[in-house]
Amino acid sequence: MLEALNDFLSGKLLIVLIVGLGGYFTIRSRFVQFRHFGHMFGVFKESLHGQAGQLSSFQALMLSLAGRVGAGNIAGVGIAVTLGGPGAVFWMWVTALVGMASSFFECTLAQVYKRADGDGLYRGGPAYYIEHGLKLKSMAIVFSILLLVTYGFAFMGLQSYTVTHSLQNAFGFDPSHTGIALAALIAIVFIGGIKRIAAVSDLLVPIKTLAYIAVTLYVIGTQIEHVPAMLETIFKSAFGLDPAFGGLLGSAIIMGVKRGVFANEAGLGSAPNVAAVAAVKHPGAQGVVQAFSVFLDTFVICTCTALLILLSGFYTPGFEGDGIVLTQNSLAAVVGDWGRLFVSVALSLFVFTCILYNYYLGENSLQYLSRNRVVLMTFRGLVLALVVWGSVQDLSTVFAFADITMTCLAFVNLIALALLFKVGLRVMRDYDEQRRAGVKQPVFDSAKFTDLDLDRAAWPANPQAATAADKAADQAHSQR
C-alpha cells in the first residue's frame, strides 16, 4: 500500500504540480529565470557583503546549497540513470528549468513575510507566508508538521544510511561506529545554533562543491570527444527514440522529475526557510540568488555526475545496483581505485552539510509550532539518535515514506504559491522597475505594500529616506 501510494503521489501528482505550476510561474513572470540569468552572477557577487551581526545573502545561499547539493547529486543521479536510463537526466533539467521560477517566487515571498527574531536574525518560510499572506493558520501548521517529519526526521536517517554504507564500501568502516562519530560531530555544531551552522556551511559547501566539480570535469575533459554523443543519447532517450532505452520513456520522466526535485528541492518549500534568514535590501534579490542555486545544483553538479556515469563505460543498459555504487565505480573505471574513495569522501561532506541543513529546517518548523526550550533540546536528541539509527538500518520503507511526505509538502507549498502568486508578481515588478531605472541594488519600501501583513521591523517604510537621514546626521555629528 505504501509503494502504491508513493507511486501515485510522487510518480504522477508531483510531476503535474512541479512541472505544471512551475511552467505557469515561468510564463506569467515572462520567464523570470531567463530575464535575470546574467543578473544572477552580479547578485551572487553582491551577496558576499552582509551586515554585521546578521546572516548575509551569501551565507543563506551556502546554507541552502548545503541542502540542495547532497546525496541527490551523487546517489540520486545514479538511481535516476539506473531506473530511467540516460533520458532521466533531460527530465531533471526540465524540472530544474521550471523549478528556477518556483524557487524565485517561494524565496521572494519568504523574504516578504519574514519576521524579525529579536536578536538581529529573521525567521520565515512557507508557514509564515501561509499564515500572514493567506491568513490560514491551520494550513501553516500542517506544512510545519510535514516539514518537521520529512526533513527533521525521515531524511536524517536516509542521509546517515547513505554516507555510512558508502564509507563501508570504500574503507570497510563499521556503519555503527561511523554513525556515532557523525552524530558527535553534528552535536558540536548544534551548540552554536544557526550562526555556527551557517559558518560551517560557508567553509564546507564551496570546498565540497568545487572539489567534486573539478574531478568530474577532469573525467569529462579526458573523454571530451564522446560528450556530444552522450548528450545526443540523453535527448533521444528522453523521448524514447534511442532503441537501447526505448522501453524506459515513462520511467525516464518519472525518475527524472522525482530525483530532480529531490536534488534541487525547488517548489518543496524547504529552501524558503533558509532564504528568509538573510538580511537583504529587496526580497527579489534573494529570489534571484536562490534561482541561481537551482541552476548550479542541477545544470552543473547533477550534469557532471550524469556525464561521469555515461562516459565511464561502466554503466550499461539494465545495470542493477544502487546509485552510490554506480557513481563510485564509474569514477574508479576512469581514474583508478582512488575514485571510489573520493566519491565516499565527497559524499560524506555532502551528507554532513545536508544533515545540518535538514536540522535547521526541522528546528525552524518546530519553533513555529512551539518556542519551548525543552521541546527544542528533545528534538536535537532525537535527531542525533536518528543519525545513529539510520546508519544500521535498511531504509527502503522509510525512503518511500519520506517520498510521500515530501510530495505532500510540495502540494501544500505549491498551492500556497499559486494563491500568493499575484503578491509575488507585484514584488517582482517592483524589483524590475527599479533595475530598469538604473538602480543597481533595488530597495524594498514597505510603504508601497500597506495592504500586506508585513513585519515593519524587518521591512521599514521609506528605508531610503531613513538611510539618507542617518547619513546626514552622521555627517553633521562628525563636523561638530
Side-chain angles (χ1 to χ4, degrees):
M1 288 181 63
L2 195 63
E3 287 182 1
L5 181 62
N6 185 27
D7 288 341
F8 170 74
L9 290 175
S10 61
K12 296 179 177 63
L13 182 62
L14 187 65
I15 293 173
V16 174
L17 284 172
I18 294 292
V19 178
L21 280 176
Y24 173 76
F25 297 153
T26 297
I27 294 169
R28 284 292 310 277
S29 66
R30 296 182 296 113
F31 300 87
V32 63
Q33 64 271 55
F34 295 105
R35 290 192 294 109
H36 287 295
F37 186 76
H39 177 51
M40 288 179 187
F41 297 92
V43 175
F44 176 73
K45 183 179 179 181
E46 292 166 8
S47 72
L48 294 170
H49 308 291
Q51 301 175 33
Q54 296 177 323
L55 291 182
S56 68
S57 181
F58 177 78
Q59 287 178 307
L61 173 64
M62 289 300 102
L63 191 52
S64 66
L65 280 175
R68 294 190 199 272
V69 182
N73 299 84
I74 297 179
V77 175
I79 292 170
V81 172
T82 298
L83 300 179
V89 179
F90 173 84
W91 294 107
M92 290 181 77
W93 292 339
V94 171
T95 302
L97 197 61
V98 297
M100 289 172 71
S102 300
S103 187
F104 174 88
F105 284 105
E106 65 181 351
C107 293
T108 295
L109 287 170
Q111 275 286 328
V112 169
Y113 290 103
K114 70 184 180 182
R115 262 45 193 169
D117 208 16
D119 57 356
L121 299 177
Y122 304 103
R123 285 196 179 272
Y128 292 81
Y129 57 67
I130 290 171
E131 178 184 354
H132 299 286
L134 296 177
K135 305 300 181 182
L136 295 173
K137 178 76 172 181
S138 57
M139 185 178 176
I141 291 173
V142 169
F143 179 88
S144 292
I145 292 172
L146 287 171
L147 187 71
L148 178 63
V149 171
T150 305
Y151 284 90
F153 295 121
F155 282 173
M156 288 295 184
L158 293 174
Q159 297 286 359
S160 177
Y161 174 86
T162 300
V163 69
T164 55
H165 285 72
S166 171
L167 291 172
Q168 182 185 38
N169 181 50
F171 299 102
F173 294 163
D174 187 313
S176 61
H177 296 164
T178 308
I180 293 170
L182 182 61
L185 289 173
I186 293 167
I188 294 171
V189 180
F190 281 178
I191 297 170
I194 179 61
K195 289 188 176 180
R196 182 172 293 178
I197 292 173
V200 172
S201 298
D202 275 359
L203 175 65
L204 293 183
V205 170
I207 292 174
K208 73 175 186 179
T209 303
L210 293 175
Y212 184 74
I213 290 174
V215 171
T216 52
L217 285 179
Y218 167 75
V219 173
I220 294 169
T222 61
Q223 311 268 345
I224 193 68
E225 68 275 12
H226 300 299
V227 170
M230 288 300 101
L231 293 175
E232 183 181 1
T233 299
I234 288 172
F235 281 101
K236 284 185 174 180
S237 302
F239 298 97
L241 301 177
D242 191 305
F245 305 99
L248 294 176
L249 176 57
S251 298
I253 297 174
I254 292 172
M255 292 308 302
V257 174
K258 285 177 65 174
R259 293 309 114 204
V261 171
F262 183 75
N264 63 53
E265 301 187 354
L268 285 188
S270 53
N273 294 274
V274 175
V277 304
V280 295
K281 293 184 177 180
H282 198 289
Q286 186 65 353
V288 170
V289 167
Q290 293 296 327
F292 176 75
S293 74
V294 175
F295 171 82
L296 180 61
D297 173 272
T298 305
F299 284 96
V300 177
I301 302 173
C302 286
T303 300
C304 283
T305 301
L307 288 176
L308 163 67
I309 292 169
L310 297 175
L311 290 169
S312 67
F314 180 81
Y315 169 77
T316 55
F319 171 82
E320 294 183 1
D322 63 45
I324 302 171
V325 172
L326 176 58
T327 307
Q328 284 180 316
N329 290 337
S330 295
L331 185 57
V334 179
V335 302
D337 282 342
W338 73 264
R340 189 177 292 105
L341 307 181
F342 173 81
V343 170
S344 290
V345 173
L347 188 62
S348 299
L349 290 175
F350 280 28
V351 166
F352 182 72
T353 54
C354 252
I355 288 176
L356 296 180
Y357 169 81
N358 291 347
Y359 163 77
Y360 175 71
L361 294 182
E363 180 192 293
N364 196 48
S365 60
L366 188 66
Q367 293 212 353
Y368 177 80
L369 298 168
S370 171
R371 290 299 185 102
N372 189 299
R373 181 73 178 171
V374 175
V375 173
L376 176 61
M377 297 308 294
T378 303
F379 169 67
R380 288 181 175 180
L382 284 173
V383 166
L384 298 177
L386 280 168
V387 169
V388 177
W389 174 80
S391 67
V392 294
Q393 298 296 318
D394 177 3
L395 298 179
S396 56
T397 302
V398 179
F399 209 167
F401 175 72
D403 267 350
I404 291 171
T405 57
M406 181 182 75
T407 304
C408 293
L409 196 66
F411 180 78
V412 175
N413 182 57
L414 287 169
I415 293 301
L417 281 183
L419 294 174
L420 288 169
F421 187 59
K422 288 184 178 180
V423 176
L425 279 178
R426 284 176 61 192
V427 176
M428 181 198 74
R429 287 165 182 160
D430 179 67
Y431 186 76
D432 289 346
E433 287 169 5
Q434 292 188 52
R435 288 199 64 235
R436 282 196 295 269
V439 179
K440 292 186 66 176
Q441 295 187 41
V443 176
F444 186 72
D445 182 359
S446 60
K448 298 178 182 178
F449 300 87
T450 54
D451 57 313
L452 303 183
D453 180 10
L454 306 182
D455 182 356
R456 303 299 170 176
W459 297 114
N462 303 311
Q464 290 173 314
T467 301
D470 289 342
K471 287 183 178 178
D474 289 342
Q475 185 176 12
H477 179 74
S478 63
Q479 288 175 348
R480 287 198 301 270

